[in-house]
Amino acid sequence: MTQTIPAPAGAVTGEWLAIHVFYAANPQPLLTHCVGPLVKELTEDGLLAGYFFINYWLEGTHIRLRLKPARPEYTEQVKARAEAEINAFLRRRPALYEMGTGFLGELYNKLFELEFPDGRPAHLIGDDGQMRMQPNNSFAYRDYEPEYGKYGGPAGIALAEWHFQHSSDTVLHAIRTMNLHLRPVLFGVAAQLMLVMAACFLPDRRKLVDFLDSYHTFWHSAFAGTNFIGTNEYARMYDGMAGDLSARFVEVLDVLERRELDRLPEFLRAWAVHCFELADRARELSVRGELVLRSWDGSGDRAVTDPERALPLVLSPYLHMTNNRFHVTIRDEAYLSYLLGRSLRERWEAAP
């Protein structure tokens, strides 16, 4: 995994660079053959203070790569090397699909409506009245716009950026070492990472199951009235695998509860160590009044000083963005939370 060296106290780093690489194909080759080597080399050369990536759809399928130069004067060098690496990859392995056609076009339009419920920005609308698409196999710089209300203000964003790099490292490592092109493998890895993170934040198992149920309900409701999310098919898929999975899930929870992390596979063990620390840091920020979160009713941002309330609020976007990095769709994420929640609940309800 990429290990950036923390800047000394008082050191001035460069500003975050946000590079959007428009690539209408499976992002795994772009991540493993371009992003991974790029951040590794920049880090080894002392040019990078941090990085992370996400997948996104606005203006067409793309990777949003964030790079933080270790010093302001390194910015142009980081940009030049990133541009050279991205251009070389796009020449070697261009995406051959078209942006926004078929099912993806329908999905983009629905996401567009959800993203901008008060009206679609004119600069994102093409001549055909639909979302404007950027050229395939291209990249562009955009402003870096941290979501302060979602992650807890400046202190929460700093914590999130620290976590995002670890999450990105975890995903890159999994893509390189596991057969994630197989959907059952991808789902198994994503479900276990979801369970470990959620359990580190919510050790009370009843609260954990309630959270997973509400998490599923949120994503299911977001697409109510569309054919992107289904409940009947979830039940059919669940029936064929519930027994073995629920036993595995409970075993993982038992290990976490007893902090016997050596019993976990290596990738889950490293993830658990990180998630316990992430939860502890978020809890400390909350107690100190430094976790300033946007209220769900739109009334404004406020410090959430009760960790019992604060931790589930930041857990949701943390879970979602790790799934996003795996290119797990919202539909599949809703299913995974359904699978986790239902299997755990049924197992405990059946217990004597």
Side-chain angles (χ1 to χ4, degrees):
M1 294 187 179
T2 304
Q3 295 295 325
T4 53
I5 300 173
V12 178
T13 61
E15 298 294 327
W16 282 99
L17 300 172
I19 308 174
H20 295 191
V21 185
F22 296 91
Y23 190 72
N26 187 318
Q28 289 188 9
L30 174 60
L31 293 172
T32 56
H33 298 297
C34 179
V35 171
L38 172 64
V39 298
K40 182 176 184 292
E41 292 166 6
L42 290 174
T43 300
E44 290 176 347
D45 292 344
L47 298 174
L48 211 59
Y51 92 99
F52 63 91
F53 69 86
I54 65 172
N55 292 289
Y56 215 66
W57 54 271
L58 193 63
E59 299 183 281
T61 303
H62 63 280
I63 292 287
R64 294 187 170 185
L65 176 60
R66 318 310 201 189
L67 302 173
K68 190 177 185 65
R71 297 178 64 86
E73 58 265 32
Y74 296 163
T75 298
E76 292 306 316
Q77 189 175 354
V78 170
K79 290 173 65 175
R81 289 177 58 168
E83 292 169 14
E85 189 77 27
I86 293 168
N87 279 322
F89 173 83
L90 294 176
R91 286 193 300 269
R92 290 194 312 270
R93 192 160 180 170
L96 303 179
Y97 302 111
E98 292 185 31
M99 290 279 192
T101 58
F103 170 79
L104 278 181
E106 183 184 355
L107 176 61
Y108 287 160
N109 287 332
K110 182 61 181 178
L111 290 171
F112 205 34
E113 293 175 8
L114 294 173
E115 183 81 4
F116 303 104
D118 298 327
R120 300 179 297 176
H123 70 280
L124 294 176
I125 303 296
D127 294 337
D128 60 357
Q130 302 301 315
M131 181 178 69
R132 186 185 304 278
M133 295 288 177
Q134 293 297 318
N136 196 11
N137 301 307
S138 68
F139 68 89
Y141 288 95
R142 295 286 192 267
D143 291 336
Y144 176 51
E145 299 176 336
E147 296 182 275
Y148 289 105
K150 181 182 290 186
Y151 292 104
I157 283 291
L159 177 62
E161 290 168 347
W162 170 78
H163 160 63
F164 290 163
Q165 174 160 327
H166 192 100
S167 174
S168 298
D169 282 343
T170 298
V171 171
L172 287 175
H173 178 73
I175 293 173
R176 287 194 303 267
T177 59
M178 301 177 185
N179 294 320
L180 297 189
H181 60 284
L182 303 174
R183 281 171 63 82
V185 177
L186 174 62
F187 283 5
V189 170
Q192 290 181 81
L193 292 175
M194 285 181 71
L195 179 64
V196 168
M197 172 174 272
C200 289
F201 274 67
L202 302 171
D204 182 291
R205 298 193 184 190
R206 296 296 175 181
K207 291 181 179 179
L208 170 63
V209 171
D210 289 343
F211 171 85
L212 290 167
D213 288 346
S214 65
Y215 191 79
H216 164 255
T217 298
F218 172 81
W219 289 115
H220 192 278
S221 300
F223 285 85
T226 75
N227 62 353
F228 301 138
I229 298 288
T231 300
N232 293 335
E233 62 204 87
Y234 286 178
R236 290 195 299 271
M237 294 164 67
Y238 174 86
D239 289 340
M241 61 181 69
D244 292 340
L245 284 180
S246 63
R248 172 58 179 160
F249 295 156
V250 170
E251 179 183 2
V252 170
L253 292 181
D254 289 343
V255 168
L256 293 173
E257 188 173 273
R258 293 193 293 265
R259 298 291 180 113
E260 297 174 348
L261 303 187
D262 287 344
R263 294 177 53 194
L264 294 173
E266 182 181 355
F267 86 100
L268 274 187
R269 182 167 63 249
W271 184 244
V273 170
H274 168 74
C275 290
F276 275 127
E277 182 176 358
L278 177 63
D280 287 343
R281 290 191 184 191
R283 187 177 294 107
E284 291 170 5
L285 289 181
S286 173
V287 171
R288 295 203 303 262
E290 296 181 35
L291 208 57
V292 182
L293 293 156
R294 180 167 300 125
S295 61
W296 287 103
D297 61 8
S299 60
D301 297 348
R302 64 189 64 180
V304 182
T305 57
D306 179 3
E308 292 292 318
R309 291 182 54 230
L311 263 62
L313 294 176
V314 293
L315 171 60
S316 292
Y318 288 163
L319 284 174
H320 176 58
M321 296 317 301
T322 296
N323 281 325
N324 168 281
R325 292 182 180 95
F326 275 113
H327 210 238
V328 169
T329 67
I330 292 175
R331 178 183 185 276
D332 293 336
E333 186 172 15
Y335 169 66
L336 292 178
S337 53
Y338 170 90
L339 175 67
L340 287 165
R342 180 177 169 185
S343 63
L344 292 174
R345 185 180 296 280
E346 289 186 352
R347 187 174 184 87
W348 290 328
E349 289 176 349

